[in-house]
Every structure is written in C-alpha cells, then in structure tokens.
C-alpha cells in the first residue's frame, strides 16, 4: 500500500509520537492541568504552556492568543459562530468562498438560517479568489471574511496577506483556515493581518484530536465561546486540556517550521516527478493553478475513465477521489465544480498528496500502478 | 472490499472484485463480423455500454462489450457477457438483471445502471438473426 493522502492526514512523526507516548506514561503528568494546587497539575500545565509558546512562535503570534481545540473543524466553528453570536442583534454579513472546507461552509449555512447574509465568492478556473473580489463584496454590514489559506483538494494558495490588508483597512475581522498551510507555508498572523487562524495537528505530523484557534489579542477581539464550562482557554473553550496531544502538537508545530523549507524542496521534487510521469500517460489535466500551489498536493483529472472504477482499481494506492458517485448520488467534488470542471471530469479526478515520508520509490510504484490500471480501464472504456 | 469516496464507504463483494479484476470479455469485434449490436446509457448518466455479438448457427460465439461506469456496472457487464457467450441466441431474454443485482450485491441507488443492461438485452433480442 502506498500512502499518498497527506492532505487528509499526515502520519505522526516518530519524534512527536515518542514525545506524546512519554507524556502519556509519565506518572507525574497524570493530573488535570487546571489543578494548579499540586505538582500533578502544575507539571502538565507547564508543558501545555510550552506547547502554547511553540504554536504561537510558529505563526508569529503571542501565546495568549492560542486557544487549544479538538482540531480545525472546531476552530472554524468557534471562529464563525463565535463572531456571529457576539454581533447578534445587528445586520451581519460574512464573505467566504465556494471552495472552503465543509467545516466552514456548514456553519455558514446554519448562520444563513439564523439571518446572517453570506457572500460566497467564486474562484477563477484555477481556484484563485482575487483580493478585488473580496473588496467588491464588502458592505458596511460585513463583520467577517473567512478564507482558507490552501485549498485541501487542489493545493491552491490564496493571497491571504492581501485580503488581510483589505480587512484591516476596513475594520473587518479576518479568519483563515490554515489546516493545510501550517506545515507548508510561512504564516505570520500579525504581518498578514489575520485575526483568527484555525490549525490542526494531524495535518502537520501531529496527533489527531487536537488543534487550535489563534485569536488576535490586541486590540481585543469580539468572540463568544461556544463550549461552556469551567472557563478554560481564556474562557473561549471550556474542557479539560488533553496534555499528551497538546504537547505533541507543540512539538509538531516546532518541527514543521524548522523543517519546512527542506521538506518543501524535497516534496516539490517528488510532486514534479509524479506529475511528469502522469503527463506521460496522456489524457490527464491538472486541477488548480499551475504554480500558485503548495508542494505536496497534486489534483489530476483523468480523461476517459470513470472515477469510482479508477479509485477501485487503484486500491493499493491511498489517494482521495473527487467523487461520491458510489452512493448513487453522482455528486462530484464541489470544489472542482466551482472551478468549472464538468461533473464527469470532477468525478474522474484524484488528489495525490505527498509529505515528509514520501519517497522516490513511492512515486515510481504509484506511477506504475496508475499506468497499468489506466490503460486497462481505458481499453474497456466506451468513449462518449 | 471497500473504497472511500468523499467520505462515503462503498462495499464491493468478492464477486465484483473477481469480475472487475478480470474483464475478459471487454473489447470489440469488427462491425462487419458483428451480427448483433446494442448500446445504452451515456457518460452523463454515469454508465454506458456498447456490445457486439457474433452469432453462428444460432449460438453466441463471441460477446464483447465496451463500458463506462462504476465497478458494479463493469462487473455486471462482464457477468452479462460470460453468461450469454456460448448460449443460444434465443436464450438472450433469459438473462435477468435482478439475478445480477443479487449476485453482485448492487446498491439500490445503482439499480438504474443495471436497467441499462436490461435495455441491451432487449435490443439484442429484438434483432432478427438469419
């Protein structure tokens, strides 16, 4: 089995796993980190604060802005519902895009039912949302712009800094889902004028079940908590903190930043090797912008084959499909459709995503497999 | 065997895996040699099939198909071909899509795709063979 689904989840880095395991079994770290009256609570709390520092430094923020959550989905929910709830009672407008992750789109749908106006910007055929589109969509009622830094399906990078500048000029809050970008791109929340930033550990070689929402602290940001309880995480996210996961997340973030440039160079070379090999098979088309993309994600449409069959034929290859046709719904990827792809082409698209542990051998084996099965299915295929 | 597509898990039984892995009857024959031919479906519908059948002495000597569709559909096409090749042409109508549906455990949502094969069978049986 060849793993090429890093955009869905990265394998945990052995150094991070070792750190997390040590934390799990250390008898001195078994207390509740909120129990500051004894050492069993203070010791894990100190490690959590160290992780908070690591996360903050990785994104150019301050530790007091890091709110640990269960992952980027919860962070997105907290950002969107938290801002909208705080502004309840006045006309509210949010700007986002059609190609956001469901963790943003589904909360937006619910907010629409609650009376919030939402503008969904349409990216161009290469997946880019232009800053001028954001500017033109802004109204006096706009309270929030929410855009993902890197698209999870296509790997396309949005010009976050330009949008951040627009938002700051107009006093509009700016939320960025950075689940896919945190380990691949340089992020500086202050310089990029980001007010809220969603992070997920399992997209950067950390464990599943932990993430963070970075909340700008100066000036104070209007955000209402969505999980109530003991007032943990500066009152924004109650619930006992998961010490091993958070400590591992902190290390994963630190490693991601330290090794990002070297990882990117190596992964880019692998991606180009893969793309070059796929092009030689013929009848393939790149989904998304050719150059404004991260190193590890390659989304390819395969002409002349049906998506579910291609996916099934490649069962030795862990990649993601652009189709849910197997359910009978024939629903193609909404992201690829937003880029103007036909349902049919979106359904026959696959996302290959590479990462820190991908090798030349993986790429060569994948190319051999794809080449063999593509030829077999194209031989069978009835052309339209 | 299962596959995950946009978060939906699809199951394929061992018969589907076997047939999909060995699409022996896929291909075509020269139209001049094909005594019977039929076609149903389209890419837009998500499934399409074209068949060419060579009949000699009232017996289906060669049954070839070209198809576009999901693993269940391709397996059903192979099942149709392997069921009918070698049988008398008058037995074509005996092929039952419901039996294929059961054998391949085709999800109800994909039933329309099997009906395309029923249409193929109907087209084939409607052509008089000399």
């Amino acid at each position: 089995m060849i793993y090429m689904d890093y955009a869905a989840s990265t394998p945990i880095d052995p150094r991070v796993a070792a750190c997390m395991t040590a934390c799990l079994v250390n008898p001195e770290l078994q207390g509740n980190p909120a129990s500051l009256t004894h050492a069993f609570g203070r010791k894990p709390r100190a490690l959590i604060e160290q992780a908070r520092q690591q996360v903050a430094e990785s994104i150019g923020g301050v530790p007091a802005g890091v709110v640990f959550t269960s992952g980027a989905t919860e962070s997105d929910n907290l950002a969107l519902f938290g801002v909208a709830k705080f502004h309840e009672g006045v006309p509210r407008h949010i700007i986002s895009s059609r190609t956001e992750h469901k963790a943003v789109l589904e909360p937006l749908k619910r907010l629409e039912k609650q009376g919030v106006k939402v503008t969904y910007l349409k990216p161009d055929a290469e997946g880019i949302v232009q800053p001028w589109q954001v500017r033109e969509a802004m109204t006096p009622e706009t309270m929030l712009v929410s855009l993902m830094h890197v698209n999870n399906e296509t790997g396309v990078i949005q010009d976050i800094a330009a949008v951040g500048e627009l938002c700051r000029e107009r006093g509009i809050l700016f939320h960025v889902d950075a689940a896919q970008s945190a380990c691949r791109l340089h992020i500086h929340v202050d310089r990029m004028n980001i007010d809220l930033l969603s992070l997920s550990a399992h997209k950067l070689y950390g464990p599943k079940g932990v993430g963070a929402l970075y909340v700008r602290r100066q000036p104070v940001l209007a955000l209402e908590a969505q999980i109530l309880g003991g007032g943990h995480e500066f009152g924004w996210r109650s619930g006992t903190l998961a010490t091993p996961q958070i400590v591992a997340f902190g290390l994963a973030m630190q490693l991601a930043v330290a090794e990002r440039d070297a990882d990117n160079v190596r992964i880019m070379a692998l991606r180009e090797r893969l793309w070059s090999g796929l092009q030689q098979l013929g009848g393939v088309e790149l989904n998304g912008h050719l150059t404004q993309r991260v190193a590890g994600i390659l989304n390819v449409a395969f002409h002349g084959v049906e998506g579910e069959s291609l996916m099934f034929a490649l069962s030795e290859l862990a990649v993601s499909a652009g189709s849910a046709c197997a359910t009978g719904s024939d629903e193609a990827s909404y992201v690829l459709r937003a880029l103007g792809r036909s349902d049919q082409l979106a359904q026959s698209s696959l996302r290959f995503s590479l990462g820190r542990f991908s090798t030349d051998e993986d790429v060569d084996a994948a190319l051999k497999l794809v080449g063999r099965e593509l030829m077999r299915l194209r031989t069978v295929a009835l052309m339209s | 065997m299962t596959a995950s597509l946009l978060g939906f898990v699809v199951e394929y039984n061992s018969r589907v895996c076997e047939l999909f892995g060995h699409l022996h009857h896929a291909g075509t024959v020269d139209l001049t040699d094909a005594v019977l031919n039929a076609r149903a479906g389209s890419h837009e519908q998500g499934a399409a099939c074209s068949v060419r059948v060579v009949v000699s002495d009232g017996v289906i000597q060669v049954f070839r198909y070209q198809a576009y569709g999901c693993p269940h559909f391709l397996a059903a096409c192979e099942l149709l071909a392997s069921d009918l090749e070698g049988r008398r042409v008058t037995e074509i109508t005996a092929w039952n899509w419901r039996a294929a549906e059961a054998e391949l455990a085709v999800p109800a949502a994909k039933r329309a795709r099997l009906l395309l094969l029923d249409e193929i069978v109907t087209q084939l049986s409607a052509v008089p063979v000399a």
Side-chain angles (χ1 to χ4, degrees):
Chain A
M1 193 82 180
I2 308 159
Y3 192 78
M4 290 196 173
D5 208 11
Y6 279 73
S9 193
T10 51
I12 193 163
D13 187 294
R15 293 165 291 181
V16 175
C19 161
M20 186 170 165
T21 307
C23 214
L24 270 170
V25 299
N26 187 338
E28 294 182 352
L29 300 176
Q30 304 304 313
N32 187 327
S35 300
L36 300 180
T37 53
H38 53 72
F40 289 102
R42 285 194 297 270
K43 283 189 178 174
R45 182 54 179 258
L47 290 180
I48 284 170
E49 294 313 315
Q50 181 186 308
R52 203 184 300 281
Q53 177 87 27
Q54 288 168 317
V55 172
E57 282 176 1
S58 301
I59 55 173
V62 295
V66 177
V67 177
F68 289 116
T69 65
S70 61
T73 293
E74 186 192 327
S75 301
D76 288 341
N77 273 258
L78 173 56
L80 297 166
F81 288 125
V83 169
K85 185 74 180 166
F86 194 92
H87 290 86
E88 207 169 24
V90 297
R92 296 170 293 175
H93 176 234
I94 296 176
I95 298 168
S96 190
S97 92
R98 295 185 192 182
T99 52
E100 294 300 302
H101 193 276
K102 292 278 187 184
V104 165
L105 294 178
E106 290 301 317
L108 289 178
K109 268 192 214 170
R110 179 174 289 185
L111 286 171
E112 280 187 282
K113 286 179 188 166
Q114 295 170 3
V116 177
K117 286 183 199 162
V118 181
T119 299
Y120 299 95
L121 301 174
K122 186 182 187 312
D124 62 23
E126 294 180 315
I128 308 289
V129 174
Q130 301 293 347
W132 63 260
Q133 292 179 275
V134 179
R135 189 181 60 237
E136 286 192 355
M138 288 172 167
T139 74
E141 294 173 1
T142 306
M143 59 177 175
L144 179 71
V145 173
S146 179
L147 280 183
M148 68 201 321
H149 195 177
V150 169
N151 187 272
N152 54 307
E153 288 196 35
T154 61
V156 165
I157 304 166
Q158 302 298 347
D159 189 351
I160 289 305
V163 177
E165 198 177 334
L166 282 174
C167 290
R168 190 57 56 90
E169 281 169 5
R170 290 159 177 78
I172 294 168
L173 293 177
F174 185 33
H175 166 241
V176 175
D177 182 335
Q180 294 292 343
S181 63
C183 75
R184 299 183 172 106
L185 298 174
H186 177 75
I187 296 172
H188 196 291
V189 287
D190 275 349
R191 288 184 204 142
M192 297 168 114
N193 294 309
I194 297 168
D195 299 301
L196 296 152
L197 183 95
S198 297
L199 297 166
S200 181
H202 79 101
K203 306 284 193 192
L204 42 86
Y205 310 98
K208 291 162 185 67
V210 64
L213 177 68
Y214 184 80
V215 183
R216 189 199 71 208
R217 297 308 295 262
Q218 292 293 336
V220 176
L221 188 147
L223 183 76
E224 190 160 316
Q226 298 303 300
I227 298 178
L228 307 179
H232 307 75
E233 297 301 275
F234 317 106
W236 278 317
R237 202 272 188 181
S238 289
T240 300
L241 294 171
T243 309
Q245 282 92 331
I246 289 171
V247 171
F249 177 29
L251 177 60
M253 271 302 275
Q254 192 177 42
L255 290 172
V257 171
E259 298 179 8
R260 185 171 52 215
D261 292 347
D263 275 352
N264 278 342
V265 169
R266 205 180 63 77
I267 294 166
M268 175 87 82
L270 289 174
R271 188 196 72 189
E272 287 309 302
R273 184 187 184 100
L274 179 62
W275 177 227
S276 170
L278 291 174
Q279 283 178 294
Q280 286 172 29
L281 299 175
V284 298
E285 210 172 328
L286 182 71
N287 290 319
H289 198 279
L290 185 62
T291 55
Q292 200 168 318
R293 58 173 52 248
V294 290
I297 299 178
L298 186 66
N299 196 312
V300 181
F302 292 88
H303 289 269
V305 290
E306 195 269 347
E308 188 186 336
S309 281
L310 180 60
M311 189 76 181
F312 185 56
L314 299 177
S315 51
E316 291 167 49
L317 185 60
V319 292
S320 281
S323 155
C325 52
T327 60
S329 65
D330 283 344
E331 184 191 339
S333 154
Y334 67 92
V335 172
L336 299 183
R337 280 186 301 171
L339 270 55
R341 291 288 191 231
S342 66
D343 280 2
Q344 202 180 309
L345 210 51
Q347 281 166 355
S348 61
S349 294
L350 294 180
R351 179 190 67 186
F352 301 82
S353 50
L354 309 168
R356 189 178 287 166
F357 308 112
S358 301
T359 63
D360 284 339
E361 290 72 29
D362 288 342
V363 170
D364 292 346
L367 284 170
K368 193 174 169 187
L369 182 64
V370 173
R372 187 187 75 201
E373 291 303 316
L374 199 58
M375 182 181 285
R376 189 172 80 90
L377 290 174
R378 281 179 175 163
T379 303
V380 173
L382 173 68
M383 294 303 162
S384 55
Chain B
M1 189 159 187
T2 61
S4 177
L5 296 150
L6 285 186
F8 297 98
V9 175
V10 195
E11 288 189 14
Y12 307 99
N13 70 11
S14 57
R15 188 71 172 126
V16 173
C17 297
E18 179 192 341
L19 291 165
F20 182 84
H22 303 91
L23 301 170
H24 293 307
H25 295 84
T28 187
V29 290
D30 287 345
L31 200 53
T32 50
D33 296 333
V35 175
L36 305 174
N37 63 79
R39 181 178 176 132
S42 67
H43 283 211
E44 290 69 31
Q45 284 176 262
C49 181
S50 170
V51 305
R52 289 185 180 178
V53 177
V54 178
V55 179
S56 177
D57 295 331
V59 175
I60 296 173
Q61 302 292 340
V62 180
F63 191 116
R64 292 289 177 270
Y65 66 88
Q66 287 183 297
Y68 174 91
C70 67
H72 284 107
F73 185 68
L74 295 186
C77 291
E78 180 61 28
L79 189 63
L80 172 70
S82 55
D83 277 355
L84 292 183
E85 198 171 74
R87 290 174 77 167
R88 297 201 65 77
V89 76
T90 51
E91 294 178 282
I92 286 177
T93 52
W95 193 82
N96 187 336
W97 67 270
R98 286 188 185 277
E101 182 183 37
E103 185 172 347
L104 303 175
V106 178
K110 291 184 175 181
R111 184 171 286 172
R113 297 175 189 183
L114 284 184
L115 294 177
L116 294 175
L117 297 187
D118 192 53
E119 191 183 326
I120 293 272
V121 166
T122 304
Q123 286 179 33
L124 291 175
S125 59
V127 180
V129 180

